[in-house]
């Protein structure tokens, strides 16, 4: 209540006028008496009408019963509302009284991960009046016009009163989930709202008034903050929904009082809840974008977390409900089951006269959120009138995901006796067809008494929009809707009114038994379902052959306008259940869980392989080239700006939550950087590659403008090369290139990728990566215990080169579970290692693991999955991990570089002066190379060279001059059979210089390779020199041994002289050369 106004609790209550005693008028008492008499006479009106119309007295009795039931319902609602208000206002006192009597504590005390957030409630209370102002504007300016336009009978509809009241919603407790995905934060809010909200509406045309005075809403609301981005506002969007239907209770006023009549109240409440569910209950979500250019459609309708296959097998010892002889003899029941997961509901067949029914039925449900979503099974006894309740059970589907397979008996609650036997299987969504044949074969072995067999795949159709649909009668705008069909299953979209370019943004889901045999049929129709606006048929086999089983594009409509088209995103996922997974079982007589693999004899204590999330290994690698800029603004001015100077520009590149910076180019407005960076990104929508230019100054750097490239465009087009205008400045543009590297599962491609990288890498960039390593760390086992009794609090640290990933800190356990994944860019997997350190809270090492990446490179499918022993004080300490590697290949390789890389990757030929120099034409025209057979014979560079070839010390070099770059390039590949004066392994490096000038400016060096007779350099040396000058030079390459870093003395192991005038540099030369000259100290 507020403002001294009294709430109308019951319609027949009279309104009391509160006035000062001095102003009482005798006439007011007469009016009050007459109004009271009028109300009593009004109650006799139904009796008079029955007599006047000659109706039976039965109608009077039925009307009286209906009135009494209505009044009872209203009184119960009001009592419930007052009790809820009192509970919220006196929460602490009532909680203390409840604890004293029942010894029970609220959830935020019992469960430490559920927090009481009074600060949030204070914020809501402070903001509530302003939320009311926003709601009032929304209803009056947006909702009311929509209602008036949808029907001519509602043309005079308007809101007469809108008040949210004084009571704001309260959050009873909050639980945060951060273990699911590092790119999101999940909050579960136990929401309770008991408010004096008052909203009245009126349709003046029909003198109808209705409204609501008092609302109760209780439920668990999930708030997802995603994606987390490396820029303000950090959170890309907020997604809100109820995991399960909330409890809603409304106090009606005016004409809607009739909705409280028994029978109508249940129907009205169900209809209102259906409307709310259509917006805010899974799978529906409300997404509020916070970052610009964010594609909210994919956040509003993400891929399911998984599919649960439910086998309803049997029940035991159900309660008898069908009694005989007036209840003297107990009979049996006719049981059936209702299964619910969110809005998905299934009803089993009825088993007549049986307390131990056997169903053997199978159902498949889509799981959108875990933890959170529950499976609820209710059993009923089928009767002619009202079905009797036989019990229920609930299970969080997060337990099914954790166990993968549950085959257990579950005790029924809210009944005297009864158990139910369920088998629950978690089906993983695979983005490829590698397991499709196995899935089809396994599904044939599944028997079920349901009409539909098990599914092999699920198809998610994101219906986005249509463009330029044909007009009806060439004048009238259409009201388009879409029908989507696969075999005999048809689903319909919502109707979009008065447009021929509708936007739906709706998801649809279809289970597929054999995805290669069916088509997706799409019919675009007017809302009368008779007038067709276009059609489309897509064979599902086309999706099976697409990358990541995804089609995301415009489709031309048939039987429609010439330019009519529809935009769809079709995503298919294969439903896979690993047959090697252990089954968690529970016997009928015991609640003890057991793990079985195939039979009850095998009892392995743990899984053999990891269970990574669906998004594991889905990272993409972008190679970003910052080339040059033009017409930048001058920031370094002189004499107060009278004399314009220049700038010292550099670029900051931001993407994927990270930032990198180019070198500074001094005093120029047209800088050229020629630098390349590699960035890992995910398919999270709305990401951008941002380029920000600055002028380097002594104090604060000045901005020279910025520009952006959408990550989605690079992923879709694979490569872009653009001049981007700079924003927020008067002039300037930036030349950038970006390419999405291909992920190859073939390790034989590594040598060619190394060669391509060496030939195409710019001088001012870091060494290009050749592989992407994805790591999933699931758990550890048998970690050492402190002092023999104290359990450790463990975390893990994974390092590749200089990059380190740290996991969360688990609770005290010798068998911690992390379930975390990370990814690393690898320069050369043949030479690098991965280091894993498991530590306790004091950073004391509990175990370590060193994994040579060459082991992953040579593994089947370049994947290792299983238990790996730790070097630790614990004799049996192990970690369960998965390593997945993919070779990174550029989609933009020039024909010259490609041909050179192929020739350079061939098995080395014995050196001979008679070897004819190769040409690019011969390399490209070679049938072996063009058919790809050559790649199967690429040598393993870690192996020793064939002793039959040559015992001489040799150097492998590629020399060529790309005309576009205007540089002489020499790629130093490797040496073999080096000879040194001592018995120790040498530390060789290469030194190159252009003769005859021997100018120090032309001297180049490679890095030092430690302790090897057969070093691999794969480094590119560059000289910026005109082509006509190159023909006058000789290239001298010296192989030296770095004896000691304390001494300047270097041991010369040999030299190679290449007369560049004898080489066709436009075509290139790759050759093995014998080292000349004796060993000397220089």
């Amino acid at each position: 209540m507020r403002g001294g106004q009294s709430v109308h609790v019951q319609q027949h209550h009279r309104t009391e006028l509160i006035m000062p005693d001095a102003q009482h008028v005798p006439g007011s008492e007469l009016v009050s008496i007459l109004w009271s008499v009028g109300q009593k006479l009004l109650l006799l009106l139904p009796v008079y009408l029955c007599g006047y119309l000659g109706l039976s007295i039965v109608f009077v009795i039925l009307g009286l019963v209906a009135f009494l039931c209505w009044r009872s319902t209203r009184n119960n609602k009001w009592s419930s509302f007052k009790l809820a208000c009192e509970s919220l206002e006196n929460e602490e006192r009532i909680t203390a009284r409840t604890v004293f009597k029942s010894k029970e504590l609220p959830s935020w005390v019992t469960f430490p991960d559920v927090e009481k957030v009074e600060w949030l409630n204070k914020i809501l209370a402070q903001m509530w009046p302003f939320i009311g102002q926003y709601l009032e504007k929304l209803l009056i300016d947006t909702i009311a016009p929509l209602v008036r336009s949808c029907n001519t009978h509602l043309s005079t509809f308007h809101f007469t009163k809108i008040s949210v009241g004084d009571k704001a919603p309260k959050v009873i407790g909050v639980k945060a989930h951060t273990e699911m995905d590092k790119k999101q934060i999940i909050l579960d809010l136990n929401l309770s709202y008991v408010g004096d909200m008052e909203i009245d509406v009126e349709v003046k045309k029909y003198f109808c008034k209705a409204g609501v005075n008092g609302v109760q809403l209780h439920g668990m609301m999930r708030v997802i903050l995603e994606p987390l981005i490396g820029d303000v506002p950090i959170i890309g969007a907020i997604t809100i929904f109820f995991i399960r239907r909330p409890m809603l209770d409304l106090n009606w006023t005016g004409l809607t009082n009739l909705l409280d009549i028994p029978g109508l109240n249940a129907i009205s409440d169900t209809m209102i809840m259906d409307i709310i569910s259509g917006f805010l209950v899974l799978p529906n979500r409300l997404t509020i974008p916070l970052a610009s250019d964010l594609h909210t459609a994919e956040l509003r309708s993400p891929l399911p977390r998984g599919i649960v296959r439910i086998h309803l097998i049997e029940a035991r010892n159900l309660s008898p409900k069908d009694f005989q002889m007036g209840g003297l003899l107990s009979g049996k029941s006719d049981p059936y089951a209702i299964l619910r997961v969110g809005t998905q509901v299934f009803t089993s067949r009825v088993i007549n006269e049986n307390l131990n029914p056997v169903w053997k039925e199978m159902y498949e449900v889509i799981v959108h959120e875990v933890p959170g979503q529950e499976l609820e099974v209710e059993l009923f006894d089928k009767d002619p009138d009202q079905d009797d309740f036989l019990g229920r059970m609930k299970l969080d589907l997060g337990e099914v995901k954790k166990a993968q397979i549950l085959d257990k008996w579950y005790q029924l609650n809210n009944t005297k006796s009864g158990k139910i036997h369920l088998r629950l299987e978690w089906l993983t969504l695979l983005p490829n067809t590698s397991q499709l044949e196995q899935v089809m074969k396994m599904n044939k072995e599944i028997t079920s008494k349901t009409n539909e067999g098990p599914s092999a795949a699920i198809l998610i159709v994101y219906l986005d929009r249509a463009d330029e649909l044909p007009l009806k009668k060439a004048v009238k705008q259409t009201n388009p809707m879409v029908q989507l069909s696969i075999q005999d299953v048809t689903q319909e979209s919502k109707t979009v009114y008065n447009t021929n370019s509708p936007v739906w943004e709706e998801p649809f889901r279809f289970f597929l038994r054999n995805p290669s045999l069916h088509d997706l049929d799409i019919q675009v129709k007017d809302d009368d379902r008779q007038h067709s606006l276009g059609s489309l048929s897509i064979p599902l086999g086309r999706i099976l052959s697409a990358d990541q089983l995804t089609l995301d594009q415009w489709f031309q409509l048939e039987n429609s306008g010439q330019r009519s088209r529809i935009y769809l995103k079709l995503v298919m996922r294969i439903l896979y259940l690993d047959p090697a997974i252990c089954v968690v079982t529970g016997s009928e007589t015991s609640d003890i869980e057991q793990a079985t693999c195939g039979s009850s004899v095998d009892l392995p204590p743990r899984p053999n392989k990891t269970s990574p999330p669906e998004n594991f290994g889905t990272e993409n690698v972008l190679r970003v080239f910052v080339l040059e800029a033009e017409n930048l603004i001058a920031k370094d001015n002189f004499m107060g700006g009278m004399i314009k100077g220049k700038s010292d520009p550099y670029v900051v590149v931001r993407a994927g939550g990270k930032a990198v910076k180019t070198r500074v180019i001094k005093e120029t407005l047209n800088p050229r950087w020629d630098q390349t960076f590699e960035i890992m990104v995910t398919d999270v929508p709305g990401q951008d590659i941002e380029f920000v230019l600055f002028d380097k100054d002594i104090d604060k750097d000045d901005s020279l403008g910025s520009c952006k490239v959408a990550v989605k465009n690079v992923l879709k087009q694979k490569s872009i090369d653009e001049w981007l205008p700079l924003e927020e400045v008067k002039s300037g543009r930036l030349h950038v290139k970006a390419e999405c590297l291909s992920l190859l599962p073939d390790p034989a491609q590594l040598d060619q990728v190394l060669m391509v990288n060496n030939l195409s890498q710019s001088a001012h960039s870091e060494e290009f990566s050749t592989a992407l390593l994805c790591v999933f760390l699931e758990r550890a086992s048998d970690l050492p215990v402190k002092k023999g009794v104290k359990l450790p609090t463990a975390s893990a640290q994974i390092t590749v080169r200089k990059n380190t990933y740290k996991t969360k800190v688990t609770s005290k356990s010798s068998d911690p579970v992390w379930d975390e994944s990370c990814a690393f860019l690898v320069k050369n997997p043949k030479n690098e290692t991965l280091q894993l350190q498991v530590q306790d809270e004091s950073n004391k090492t509990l175990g370590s693991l060193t994994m040579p990446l060459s082991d992953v490179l040579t593994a089947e499918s370049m994947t290792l999955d299983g238990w790996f022993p730790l070097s630790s004080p614990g004799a049996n300490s192990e970690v369960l991990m998965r390593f997945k590697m993919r070779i990174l290949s550029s989609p933009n390789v020039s024909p010259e570089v490609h041909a050179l890389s192929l020739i350079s990757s061939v098995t080395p030929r014995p050196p001979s002066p008679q070897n004819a120099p190769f040409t690019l034409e011969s390399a490209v025209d070679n049938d072996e190379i063009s058919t790809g057979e050559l790649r199967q014979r690429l040598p393993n560079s870690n192996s020793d060279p064939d002793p039959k070839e040559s015992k001489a010390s040799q150097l492998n070099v590629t020399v060529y001059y790309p005309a576009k770059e205007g540089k002489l390039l020499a790629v130093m590949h490797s040496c073999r059979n080096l000879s040194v004066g001592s018995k120790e392994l040498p530390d060789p490096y290469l030194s190159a210089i252009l003769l005859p000038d021997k100018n120090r400016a032309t001297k180049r060096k490679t890095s030092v390779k430690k302790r090897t007779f057969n070093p691999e350099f794969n480094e590119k040396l560059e000289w910026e020199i005109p082509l006509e000058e190159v023909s006058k030079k000789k290239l001298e390459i010296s192989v030296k041994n770095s004896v000691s870093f304390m001494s300047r003395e270097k041991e010369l192991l040999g030299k190679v002289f290449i007369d560049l005038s004898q080489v066709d540099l436009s075509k290139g030369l790759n050759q093995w050369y014998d080292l000349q000259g004796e060993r000397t100290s220089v």
Side-chain angles (χ1 to χ4, degrees):
M1 320 287 179
R2 80 184 202 181
Q5 296 177 353
S6 62
V7 178
H8 292 276
V9 179
Q10 302 174 15
Q11 188 176 3
H12 63 280
H13 285 177
R14 63 185 179 87
T15 304
E16 296 181 3
L17 301 175
I18 303 174
M19 304 176 63
D21 292 340
Q23 297 180 4
H24 269 297
V25 182
S28 63
E29 295 182 1
L30 179 61
V31 171
S32 177
I33 294 172
L34 291 175
W35 174 249
S36 177
V37 172
Q39 284 182 317
K40 300 300 188 294
L41 292 175
L42 189 63
L43 294 176
L44 297 176
L45 180 61
V47 179
Y48 170 77
L49 290 176
C50 286
Y52 180 80
L53 299 175
L55 301 177
S56 171
I57 192 63
V58 174
F59 289 96
V60 178
I61 297 174
L62 290 176
L64 181 61
V65 170
F67 171 75
L68 293 175
C69 292
W70 170 83
R71 189 171 66 174
S72 175
T73 302
R74 295 286 298 171
N75 289 338
N76 290 337
K77 275 192 172 184
W78 183 245
S79 299
S80 173
F81 180 74
K82 289 197 299 182
L83 182 61
C85 288
E86 181 185 356
S87 299
L88 283 181
E89 290 176 356
N90 304 285
E91 182 183 3
E92 292 184 4
R93 178 173 57 82
I94 293 177
T95 299
R97 185 175 61 196
T98 304
V99 170
F100 180 77
K101 291 182 178 180
S102 62
K103 309 296 183 183
E104 293 181 358
L105 296 174
S107 61
W108 47 267
V109 178
T110 306
F111 305 104
D113 55 350
V114 177
E115 301 178 8
K116 187 178 181 182
V117 282
E118 278 304 312
W119 61 270
L120 180 58
N121 291 326
K122 292 179 180 178
I123 292 175
L124 285 175
Q126 194 78 2
M127 295 172 59
W128 191 239
F130 302 96
I131 295 175
Q133 295 176 15
Y134 169 75
L135 180 63
E136 183 175 358
K137 292 179 182 178
L138 177 67
L139 292 176
I140 294 176
D141 299 339
T142 305
I143 304 299
L146 287 176
V147 174
R148 287 193 289 265
S149 63
C150 70
N151 195 305
T152 56
H153 298 289
L154 299 175
S155 58
T156 57
F157 173 92
H158 70 284
F159 291 92
T160 58
K161 183 175 184 180
I162 301 172
S163 172
V164 297
D166 294 329
K167 302 181 186 302
K170 295 196 71 174
V171 180
I172 307 301
V174 173
K175 181 176 181 179
H177 303 274
T178 57
E179 69 277 3
M180 300 299 297
D181 189 343
K182 282 191 171 292
K183 300 180 182 64
Q184 65 177 201
I185 298 173
I186 299 177
L187 302 175
D188 284 341
L189 279 63
N190 189 354
L191 189 67
S192 183
Y193 174 56
V194 183
D196 49 351
M197 178 181 291
E198 189 172 357
I199 299 177
D200 294 332
V201 300
E202 182 180 4
V203 181
K204 291 185 177 180
K205 184 177 181 180
Y206 300 102
F207 304 100
C208 293
K209 294 183 179 181
V212 173
N213 189 351
V215 178
Q216 288 192 63
L217 180 69
H218 308 278
M220 183 66 72
M221 175 179 284
R222 174 158 290 186
V223 179
I224 301 180
L225 310 177
E226 68 168 340
L228 301 181
I229 55 180
D231 202 353
V232 177
I234 306 300
I235 299 168
I238 301 176
T239 303
I240 302 171
F241 56 88
F242 286 98
I243 296 178
R244 293 174 291 277
R245 283 192 172 204
M247 190 280 286
L248 177 69
D249 195 3
L250 302 173
N251 278 340
W252 300 106
T253 61
L255 187 63
T256 48
N257 267 320
L258 298 175
L259 295 178
D260 281 330
I261 295 177
L264 283 180
N265 60 345
I267 297 174
S268 63
D269 291 348
T270 301
M271 291 177 61
I272 293 170
M273 277 310 307
D274 287 342
I275 295 172
I276 294 176
S277 299
F279 289 96
L280 279 177
V281 179
L282 276 178
N284 304 295
R285 305 163 185 246
L286 174 64
T287 300
I288 305 170
L290 301 180
S292 59
D293 301 326
L294 191 70
H295 305 283
T296 59
E298 295 181 22
L299 295 175
R300 204 161 35 236
S301 305
L303 282 175
R305 302 284 187 180
I307 305 297
V308 171
R309 185 173 288 158
I310 305 170
H311 296 268
L312 175 63
I313 302 175
E314 57 184 325
R316 289 284 184 270
N317 303 324
L318 299 181
S319 300
K321 293 295 182 178
D322 298 335
F323 295 99
Q324 300 174 357
M325 297 182 65
L328 295 176
L329 297 177
S330 60
K332 296 186 177 181
S333 294
D334 305 321
Y336 68 94
I338 297 178
L339 301 89
R340 294 188 183 90
V341 174
T343 56
Q344 304 167 84
V345 181
F346 304 92
T347 303
S348 75
R349 58 196 174 94
V350 178
I351 308 295
N352 292 318
E353 298 184 355
N354 198 330
L355 299 180
N356 302 295
V358 176
W359 289 284
K360 290 187 178 180
E361 297 182 2
M362 184 271 298
Y363 309 96
E364 291 171 337
V365 296
I366 300 172
V367 182
H368 298 277
E369 289 293 326
V370 285
Q373 278 195 282
E374 292 180 337
L375 166 65
E376 181 181 9
V377 182
E378 291 183 320
L379 270 63
F380 293 91
D381 167 42
K382 187 67 176 179
D383 282 333
D385 46 4
Q386 183 176 358
D387 298 343
D388 298 316
F389 180 70
L390 296 176
R392 71 162 54 90
M393 61 79 60
K394 287 185 179 181
L395 177 69
D396 193 312
L397 294 177
E399 296 184 25
V400 184
K401 181 182 179 183
K402 184 177 180 180
Q404 297 291 300
I405 301 178
L406 284 176
D407 192 340
K408 295 178 60 179
W409 286 87
Y410 294 92
Q411 188 71 41
L412 295 176
N413 300 321
N414 306 115
T415 187
K416 293 181 180 179
S417 64
K419 291 185 177 182
I420 187 169
H421 184 193
L422 299 175
R423 178 183 172 94
L424 307 170
E425 301 168 347
W426 182 271
L427 305 180
T428 306
L429 306 182
L430 298 182
N432 55 69
T433 59
S434 59
Q435 303 293 337
L436 180 57
E437 291 186 7
Q438 182 181 357
V439 169
M440 299 284 291
K441 184 178 179 181
M442 292 170 58
N443 286 352
K444 290 180 181 178
E445 301 173 359
I446 298 176
T447 58
S448 172
K449 294 186 178 181
T450 49
N451 295 330
E452 298 181 358
S455 302
I458 185 173
L459 175 67
I460 298 97
V461 181
Y462 295 99
L463 174 62
D464 189 1
R465 65 186 66 207
D467 193 22
E468 297 191 29
L469 297 178
L471 297 177
K472 189 164 61 174
K473 297 181 181 179
V475 179
K476 185 180 177 182
Q477 288 282 9
T478 58
N479 302 322
M481 52 82 62
V482 179
Q483 292 179 338
L484 304 96
S485 303
I486 296 180
Q487 285 190 308
D488 55 349
V489 178
T490 299
Q491 300 185 41
E492 290 189 355
S493 74
K494 65 183 179 183
T495 301
V496 181
Y497 293 94
N498 300 321
T499 179
N500 68 333
S501 297
V503 177
W504 291 284
E505 292 186 344
E506 284 188 83
F508 302 89
R509 302 165 184 91
F510 297 89
F511 284 106
L512 309 172
R513 285 183 240 174
N514 190 341
S516 60
L517 300 180
H518 308 308
D519 295 341
L520 172 64
D521 295 320
I522 297 174
Q523 295 286 334
V524 184
K525 297 183 178 181
D526 200 26
D527 58 347
D528 58 6
R529 309 300 195 273
Q530 302 297 323
H531 182 66
S532 177
L533 303 176
S535 62
L536 176 65
S537 182
I538 303 174
L540 299 186
R542 181 179 171 186
I543 307 176
L544 288 173
S545 59
D547 184 33
Q548 294 289 312
L549 302 184
T550 302
L551 293 177
D552 187 2
Q553 65 184 71
W554 285 98
F555 293 88
Q556 186 68 36
L557 287 173
E558 300 173 359
N559 305 316
S560 186
Q562 292 184 352
R563 302 179 63 182
S564 299
R565 56 181 186 165
I566 188 169
Y567 195 93
L568 301 171
K569 182 175 181 180
L570 309 175
V571 180
M572 187 182 294
R573 290 294 182 262
I574 307 302
L575 307 182
Y576 179 65
L577 177 65
D578 190 347
I581 290 177
C582 302
V583 183
V584 178
T585 64
S587 65
E588 183 179 357
T589 59
S590 173
D591 294 331
I592 299 176
E593 293 184 356
Q594 299 176 335
T596 65
C597 288
S599 69
S600 60
V601 178
D602 305 316
L603 298 176
R606 58 189 182 179
N608 294 323
K609 293 186 177 181
T610 61
S611 300
E614 183 191 357
N615 61 355
F616 171 71
T618 58
E619 291 85 356
N620 293 285
V621 180
L622 303 184
R623 192 169 284 167
V624 181
F625 301 81
V626 182
L627 301 178
E628 57 185 322
E630 289 182 350
N631 301 324
L632 298 181
I633 59 174
K635 287 291 185 178
D636 300 335
N637 298 324
F638 303 98
M639 298 182 65
M642 297 180 61
I643 301 177
K644 289 189 176 182
K646 296 186 178 182
S647 295
D648 304 323
Y650 68 93
V651 183
V652 176
V653 185
R654 299 191 182 104
K658 295 184 179 180
V660 291
K661 185 168 67 173
T662 69
R663 59 198 174 102
V664 178
I665 307 296
K666 295 287 186 179
E667 298 183 355
T668 179
L669 300 181
N670 300 290
R672 186 173 186 88
W673 293 279
D674 281 333
Q675 283 187 256
T676 309
F677 305 96
E678 293 174 332
I679 301 171
M680 281 189 294
V681 297
T682 60
D683 57 357
V684 173
Q687 295 186 97
D688 292 315
I689 308 172
E690 184 179 12
F691 303 90
V692 185
L693 280 73
F694 292 96
D695 167 44
K696 186 67 177 177
D697 283 332
I698 298 175
D699 48 3
K700 183 179 179 182
D701 297 346
D702 299 316
S703 174
L704 299 177
S706 64
C707 52
K708 293 180 180 179
V709 172
V711 170
K712 182 178 181 181
N713 294 340
V714 183
L715 296 179
K716 189 173 183 179
Q717 301 174 22
K718 298 301 181 183
S719 177
I720 63 168
D721 185 350
E722 297 180 359
W723 281 93
L724 303 174
L726 298 178
E727 300 175 355
E728 302 176 357
V729 289
K730 295 181 179 178
S731 66
R733 60 176 186 162
L734 179 68
H735 186 194
V736 299
K737 289 171 57 179
E739 59 184 22
C740 178
L741 302 183
S742 302
L743 303 178
L744 307 178
D746 183 9
Q749 304 285 346
L750 178 61
D751 289 306
Q752 183 181 343
V753 168
L754 281 168
M755 183 64 61
V756 169
N757 288 352
N758 291 327
L759 294 172
S760 56
Q761 183 171 318
S762 62
H764 303 291
S765 301
E766 292 186 2
E767 181 182 357
F768 285 170
S769 301
T770 60
L772 174 67
L773 176 67
C774 301
V775 182
F776 177 66
L777 176 61
E778 183 167 311
R779 64 183 70 197
S781 176
D782 295 330
L783 295 181
V785 179
K786 289 184 177 181
K787 300 178 182 179
V789 292
K790 189 176 180 181
L791 294 175
T793 302
S795 64
Q797 183 173 291
I798 305 172
T799 304
V800 175
R801 290 171 68 98
K802 297 180 181 180
N803 299 313
T804 299
Y805 175 84
K806 295 182 179 180
T807 69
K808 65 186 178 184
V809 178
T810 64
S811 56
K812 293 183 178 181
S813 173
S814 61
D815 301 316
V817 177
W818 290 287
D819 283 336
E820 293 191 41
S821 60
C822 56
F824 300 92
L825 291 174
V826 181
K827 305 301 181 184
N828 190 342
K830 296 179 180 179
N831 305 329
E832 297 183 33
T833 59
L834 176 142
Q835 303 287 337
L836 170 70
Q837 293 281 343
V838 182
Q839 302 172 330
D840 61 11
E841 64 274 13
S842 60
N843 293 329
K844 180 181 178 181
T845 300
L846 302 174
S848 62
L849 171 69
T850 300
M851 171 63 67
L853 298 187
S854 57
D855 291 352
V856 185
L857 183 68
T858 56
E860 183 180 358
S861 300
M862 300 176 69
T863 302
L864 290 176
D865 194 332
W867 289 94
F868 298 89
L870 292 175
S871 300
S872 70
N876 299 317
S877 298
E878 294 179 298
V879 287
L880 181 59
M881 300 183 68
R882 180 182 180 92
F883 302 92
K884 176 183 174 182
M885 185 180 291
R886 290 294 181 263
I887 305 300
L888 299 175
S889 175
S890 170
N892 299 317
V893 180
S894 65
E896 295 87 356
V897 172
H898 181 66
L900 274 171
S901 66
L902 288 176
I903 289 298
S904 303
S905 301
V906 183
T907 303
R909 297 165 290 179
S912 171
Q914 287 76 28
N915 279 341
F918 86 100
T919 63
L920 295 182
E921 289 82 355
S922 64
V924 176
D925 293 340
N926 190 320
D927 290 338
E928 279 192 328
I929 295 174
S930 62
T931 57
E933 296 175 3
L934 183 62
R935 299 181 183 179
Q936 305 303 320
R937 301 188 285 107
L938 294 178
N940 185 348
S941 55
N942 284 337
S943 61
D944 293 327
D946 189 353
K948 296 180 182 179
E949 291 180 352
S950 175
K951 290 293 185 180
S953 298
Q954 296 175 323
L955 170 66
N956 187 14
V957 181
T958 297
V959 182
Y960 81 115
Y961 192 99
K964 292 182 178 180
E965 298 187 24
K967 299 176 182 178
L968 173 65
L969 304 180
V971 181
M972 307 299 171
H973 299 298
S974 59
C975 297
R976 62 185 179 189
N977 303 331
L978 295 182
S979 176
V980 294
S982 63
K983 295 182 179 179
E984 295 183 358
L985 292 172
D987 297 336
Y989 71 96
L990 302 179
S991 175
I993 192 170
L994 291 178
L995 301 178
D997 42 289
K998 280 198 172 185
N999 188 347
R1000 180 175 291 274
T1002 67
K1003 190 174 183 179
R1004 306 286 187 269
K1005 290 182 180 181
T1006 68
S1007 59
V1008 178
K1009 302 301 177 183
K1010 296 293 185 180
R1011 302 179 62 78
T1012 177
F1013 290 111
N1014 304 294
E1016 284 193 11
F1017 300 99
N1018 289 320
E1019 295 184 34
K1020 181 173 65 173
L1021 307 181
E1022 300 181 359
W1023 290 267
E1024 293 188 4
I1025 183 172
L1027 181 60
E1028 56 272 13
E1029 292 293 327
V1030 173
S1031 60
K1032 303 175 183 179
K1033 305 288 184 180
K1034 289 185 179 181
L1035 179 62
E1036 177 188 284
I1037 306 173
S1038 302
V1039 183
K1040 299 180 180 181
N1041 180 17
S1042 180
V1043 179
S1044 171
F1045 72 94
M1046 297 293 294
S1047 173
R1048 297 185 60 184
E1049 186 177 282
K1050 309 297 179 184
E1051 180 183 5
L1052 178 63
L1053 303 182
K1055 291 185 178 182
V1056 168
F1057 294 91
I1058 302 176
D1059 188 351
L1060 299 179
S1061 63
Q1062 304 299 315
V1063 179
D1064 187 350
L1065 293 175
S1066 63
K1067 298 180 179 179
L1069 172 68
N1070 171 261
Q1071 191 169 312
W1072 283 93
Y1073 296 88
D1074 289 337
L1075 296 183
Q1076 303 174 7
E1078 298 180 356
R1079 296 187 304 273
T1080 57
S1081 295
V1082 293

